[in-house]
Amino acid sequence: METVETELTANKRPVWNAGRTVGAKRALKPKHIWEIRFYLNQHRRLRDRALFDLAIDSKLRGCDLVQMKIGDLVSGGQIRTRAIVVQQKTGRPVQFELLPDARASLLAWLERRGGTVDDYVFPSRVDHNGHLSTRQYARLVDEWVTGVGLMRSEYGTHSLRRTKASIIYRATGNLRAVQILLGHSKIENTVRYLGIDVEDALALAENTEI
């Protein structure tokens, strides 16, 4: 009898992914990037604009993004054009570029934020000695995408990591370059991450004349 009751209880438990969209989150399109930037500027969210721009250019996982320190980005009072971070997941270094939009928004944010090279770029509002949590970063991304009319269930922090990598791949077809930029150890991981399938491969081949 106990076994039957246990089974019934187990059967009543909701499935963990009930009502959720499972699978890789979509990458943002260029128009979405500009819409989110406009939204953040309009609402005067200086920190969020800097965080968004850094997320797009760095192509970092959320855990690495929130742990960045001012010294990782600043040299001689200027925002670096290139930076390097050791990935928490793999222990491998990955380098990334910072384009003018990101450098401008980061400089504006850091001028307001203040701090030393040993301080986090995005401090926690609860523990000022700590950094923004990955959970709070995820909540912010939810706000940004819904703020421009996108579905929260289809986008997340990995959308920002995938965005520039996807745009580069579509423009060049250079998987090896994207693998390096994402810091993947195996190109198979990059293929899976970008969601490349046979149609993508054929489309690239059809656009390549010899």
Side-chain angles (χ1 to χ4, degrees), residues 27-168:
L28 297 171
K29 294 180 180 179
K31 69 173 185 176
H32 298 147
I33 296 173
W34 290 108
E35 286 171 355
I36 290 174
R37 282 175 174 163
F38 180 80
Y39 168 81
L40 296 176
N41 289 345
Q42 191 177 39
H43 289 81
R44 298 182 181 179
R45 296 173 70 165
L46 190 61
R47 180 203 63 173
D48 290 11
R49 171 64 197 269
L51 179 59
F52 175 73
D53 285 343
L54 180 59
I56 293 294
D57 272 5
S58 71
K59 303 166 287 290
L60 290 173
R61 296 178 182 88
C63 59
D64 295 321
L65 183 72
V66 298
Q67 293 189 60
M68 291 199 72
K69 294 190 173 182
I70 293 174
D72 296 327
L73 299 176
V74 174
S75 177
Q78 298 294 319
I79 304 297
R80 301 173 189 268
T81 56
R82 291 184 179 179
I84 189 166
V85 167
V86 175
Q87 300 172 97
Q88 184 177 308
K89 183 177 179 179
T90 65
R92 295 162 60 94
V94 63
Q95 194 170 12
F96 58 88
E97 74 293 345
L98 287 166
L99 297 185
D101 280 321
R103 295 202 301 273
S105 61
L106 281 165
L107 185 60
W109 161 244
L110 290 175
E111 284 177 346
R112 178 192 288 181
R113 186 241 183 279
T116 71
V117 293
D118 294 319
D119 291 327
Y120 292 109
V121 179
F122 304 104
S124 165
R125 289 180 174 173
V126 177
D127 173 13
H128 295 295
N129 293 320
H131 56 74
L132 182 77
S133 70
T134 51
R135 180 173 293 183
Q136 181 59 21
Y137 172 45
R139 288 197 193 104
L140 290 171
V141 173
D142 284 348
E143 287 180 24
W144 302 340
V145 297
T146 55
V148 298
L150 298 175
M151 291 184 66
R152 183 172 60 182
S153 60
E154 294 182 356
Y155 298 89
T157 57
H158 268 285
S159 297
L160 275 59
R161 173 162 157 77
R162 294 179 65 218
T163 291
K164 197 165 186 179
S166 298
I167 292 170
I168 292 169

